[in-house]
Amino acid sequence: MNPRRVHILKDVPATRGPVLYWMHRDFRARDNWGLTYARLQALRTGQPVAVIFCLAPEFADATAVHFNFLLDGLTQTVHALRQQNISFFALTGSPGLEIASFARKHGAGLVVTDFDPLRVKRRWHEDLLSACELPVHEVDSRNIVPARVVSDRREFMARTIRPKIKRLLLEFLDEFPELPAHPHDWPTAPPEPDFPVLRSKIRNDAPRQNLLVEPGEQAGQAVLHNFLKSRLPLYAKRNDPNQDVCSNLSAYLHFGMLSAQRAALETQSCGLAGEHVDSFLDELIVRRELSDNFCLHTQSYDTEDGFPAWARESLHKHRNDPRPVIYSPEELEKAGTHDPLWNAAQTQMLRSGKMHGYLRMYWAKKILEWSPSPAEALRTAILLNDRYSLDGRDSNGYTGIAWSIGGVHDRGWTERPIFGKIRFMNYAGARRKFDVDQYVRTWIAPQDDASI
Ligand SMILES: Cc1cc2nc3c(=O)[nH]c(=O)nc-3n(C[C@H](O)[C@H](O)[C@H](O)COP(=O)(O)OP(=O)(O)OC[C@H]3O[C@@H](n4cnc5c(N)ncnc54)[C@H](O)[C@@H]3O)c2cc1C
């Protein structure tokens, strides 16, 4: 395994003891560099290895829908780990502190953990580092080219990170090693993870959503295979929300139930080539890894401070422009605007847990147009996306919203009221691109009295 995937968070002499892998972003047993690294370290030192998960019942604006999706997927992961003689322990509470206390109690020799640039995860890591005397190694299993390797600065846009990623793909887009079942047993029989008890800790606030996808690693693989066979050949039509040609992989990638590296390897070997494959790999690798680059190098990735200077200045200049229509976050949440396309997009997200990618841009830009200030628009868009999108609470979400409202990774466009130089999108433009009426009929008209 390429040692450049590993970043040492705490460099103290190793002691003899089991190796713990703290899984908090990449929830999968296969194709997982963090787990692979933990297993290799345990093999080298002749120690058992265990996966530790800690439920933090309050996480961003996650609802019970998200927690249940995660826990349902985890039950499959636990089963797959058991077949590899890897124990699994589920904890609840303040994650960094709980992991440190577990490591102490079990005399661990090393803690391996997932890379994640979001602030909440950095705090968890800080808690662990301050409470534990062991070496702690972080592994980037989310990105094909590790975010800490690809660039040591915030990249301007896709055009600037693309060549850096491409140069390193030869080195990092490699196969995962096949490892035998782990030969060293955990000293005692680990207890069955008590999923009902975990579920009882989750706030009972689930909106009623008919999710488009099933949870778990197996379902993620199945959706990938189905996409490669039947929808990838049509991927050039992905900006038409009436066509079902996108991959629908974002929830699996967000919860780490599918490895982006596995998806890229299988795309390369699926027998197709050309425009569709190139576009998909560009989204999956370049756009996605650009998001982690943005959050890694921008502490304030979810406030106006994270916008580029030209965008901040331009939005500031237009802060007092009259806003013909203003909606409160509650009106927006209920899809109660005068714009049928926006309402349909919001309804798609409310009902299915996913809004079409093209409309996510339109949706966020309209929130800018209809909010008293860019700061409030940003807050509302993040709140709604994190609460209702299955793939929300993700660096892709913070970056996509910052792109739409704050010009991140974009350039200045023709200046206009409210938006300043931020790229504008409107209803007439959407009508030129696709059949808006059909999309609105799909999400609003026939289901008006549906239960949500
Ligand atoms: C306002 C706004 C909010 C967004 N919120 C999220 C979010 O919360 N979570 C999320 O995963 N993505 C988000 N995106 C990015 C993108 O819209 C989604 O990744 C995409 O809609 C997911 O559907 P899919 O898997 O079918 O996409 P596909 O078109 O099949 O793309 C495959 C994968 O490539 C990646 N990808 C595609 N487009 C982008 C992009 N623009 N930026 C980064 N990665 C991309 C995703 O991982 C996606 O799953 C947001 C974009 C915008 C403009």
Side-chain angles (χ1 to χ4, degrees):
M1 167 181 164
N2 192 327
R4 294 215 293 158
R5 295 187 192 279
V6 183
H7 176 73
I8 309 291
L9 290 180
K10 187 157 191 153
D11 192 9
V12 293
T15 52
R16 277 193 67 76
V19 175
L20 307 182
Y21 166 48
W22 175 17
M23 190 183 258
H24 61 71
R25 192 186 204 193
D26 295 285
F27 293 102
R28 60 182 182 275
R30 62 173 294 188
D31 305 332
N32 182 331
W33 289 120
L35 179 59
T36 300
Y37 178 73
R39 292 176 70 174
L40 291 173
Q41 294 302 308
L43 277 174
R44 193 176 56 76
T45 51
Q47 292 292 329
V49 61
V51 172
I52 321 293
F53 161 72
C54 183
L55 180 79
E58 305 274 321
F59 185 84
D61 286 300
T63 69
V65 171
H66 309 131
F67 283 115
N68 284 324
F69 190 85
L70 167 63
L71 294 178
D72 289 346
L74 258 183
T75 55
Q76 288 175 21
T77 300
V78 174
H79 183 68
L81 290 171
R82 203 171 287 144
Q83 290 178 333
Q84 295 292 310
N85 194 28
I86 297 169
S87 307
F88 177 91
F89 293 87
L91 315 173
T92 46
S94 177
L97 300 179
E98 292 298 329
I99 302 296
S101 141
F102 183 94
R104 255 194 315 277
K105 184 167 153 203
H106 292 272
L110 167 70
V111 179
V112 178
T113 185
D114 292 328
F115 162 76
D116 194 328
L118 298 189
R119 280 195 309 278
V120 53
K121 297 295 189 70
R122 292 188 200 208
R123 274 198 301 275
W124 290 4
H125 280 180
E126 281 160 20
D127 287 347
L128 169 67
L129 297 183
S130 63
C132 128
E133 295 309 319
L134 295 172
V136 180
H137 296 183
E138 174 201 87
V139 180
D140 189 345
S141 294
R142 190 259 192 193
N143 299 291
I144 298 172
V145 180
R148 293 190 192 276
V149 172
V150 71
S151 174
D152 59 1
R153 68 201 61 179
R154 169 172 160 175
E155 292 293 330
F156 282 110
M157 44 181 60
R159 191 159 49 77
T160 64
I161 203 171
R162 188 175 288 114
K164 296 183 180 180
I165 290 179
K166 286 204 166 156
R167 242 193 329 271
L168 289 161
L169 269 186
L170 211 56
E171 178 184 344
F172 286 101
L173 187 47
D174 52 354
E175 247 314 334
F176 294 86
E178 281 288 332
L179 296 178
H182 198 68
H184 309 291
D185 295 340
W186 192 260
T188 53
E192 277 295 307
D194 198 340
F195 282 102
V197 167
L198 289 182
R199 284 180 210 277
S200 71
K201 313 259 179 197
I202 299 167
R203 242 188 354 240
N204 189 14
D205 62 348
R208 293 172 66 183
Q209 292 183 304
N210 294 322
L211 299 181
L212 295 173
V213 290
E214 299 283 325
E217 299 187 47
Q218 285 159 19
Q221 295 285 333
V223 171
L224 171 65
H225 293 146
N226 185 285
F227 166 69
L228 294 179
K229 203 167 93 201
S230 53
R231 302 199 301 283
L232 181 61
L234 305 168
Y235 194 67
K237 295 184 186 163
R238 69 188 177 286
N239 281 342
D240 182 345
N242 294 314
Q243 309 277 340
D244 179 23
V245 300
C246 289
S247 68
N248 272 333
L249 289 176
S250 60
Y252 299 110
L253 294 168
H254 165 70
F255 286 99
M257 292 170 183
L258 176 72
S259 143
Q261 184 146 347
R262 171 61 56 210
L265 287 168
E266 295 210 8
T267 304
Q268 284 185 331
S269 62
C270 75
L272 274 183
E275 179 195 357
H276 307 289
V277 168
D278 294 346
S279 308
F280 176 65
L281 290 176
D282 200 64
E283 303 285 3
L284 179 74
I285 305 175
V286 176
R287 294 277 165 192
R288 186 165 178 273
E289 303 201 355
L290 180 62
S291 298
D292 252 20
N293 168 274
F294 173 64
C295 293
L296 177 62
H297 296 289
T298 314
Q299 272 288 327
S300 45
Y301 52 77
D302 53 355
T303 74
E304 277 179 297
D305 293 342
F307 297 171
W310 67 262
R312 274 201 316 270
E313 278 158 27
S314 184
L315 287 167
H316 186 70
K317 185 172 149 202
H318 290 272
R319 70 192 181 287
N320 294 325
D321 288 357
R323 271 114 170 116
V325 185
I326 289 189
Y327 292 112
S328 67
E330 293 73 28
E331 287 167 320
L332 292 168
E333 182 172 24
K334 292 190 181 109
T337 77
H338 65 281
D339 177 339
L341 175 57
W342 194 94
N343 293 344
Q346 170 72 9
T347 305
Q348 180 180 23
M349 177 172 70
L350 291 177
R351 287 195 173 140
S352 71
K354 184 176 184 227
M355 187 189 299
H356 187 276
Y358 178 77
L359 284 169
R360 283 180 130 159
M361 300 185 267
Y362 178 84
W363 172 87
K365 285 178 181 291
K366 286 287 160 189
I367 296 180
L368 171 62
E369 190 176 328
W370 299 332
S371 295
S373 69
E376 284 178 63
L378 193 60
R379 268 199 299 280
T380 304
I382 289 175
L383 176 85
L384 296 179
N385 192 54
D386 280 0
R387 181 168 168 77
Y388 291 108
S389 292
L390 188 56
D391 63 13
R393 307 151 312 281
D394 190 286
S395 50
N396 282 357
Y398 303 119
T399 309
I401 291 170
W403 177 89
S404 308
I405 294 178
V408 166
H409 301 148
D410 204 358
R411 62 174 173 86
W413 293 75
T414 311
E415 195 160 358
R416 62 176 70 238
I418 305 173
F419 281 79
K421 293 183 184 165
I422 301 294
R423 187 196 295 246
F424 180 67
M425 282 173 85
N426 69 0
Y427 189 75
R431 286 199 88 90
R432 283 194 296 275
K433 280 210 174 285
F434 65 96
D435 185 344
V436 167
D437 296 335
Q438 184 190 335
Y439 178 77
V440 171
R441 274 196 310 274
T442 305
W443 288 104
I444 296 190
Q447 305 173 43
D448 264 345
D449 54 358
S451 49
I452 188 157

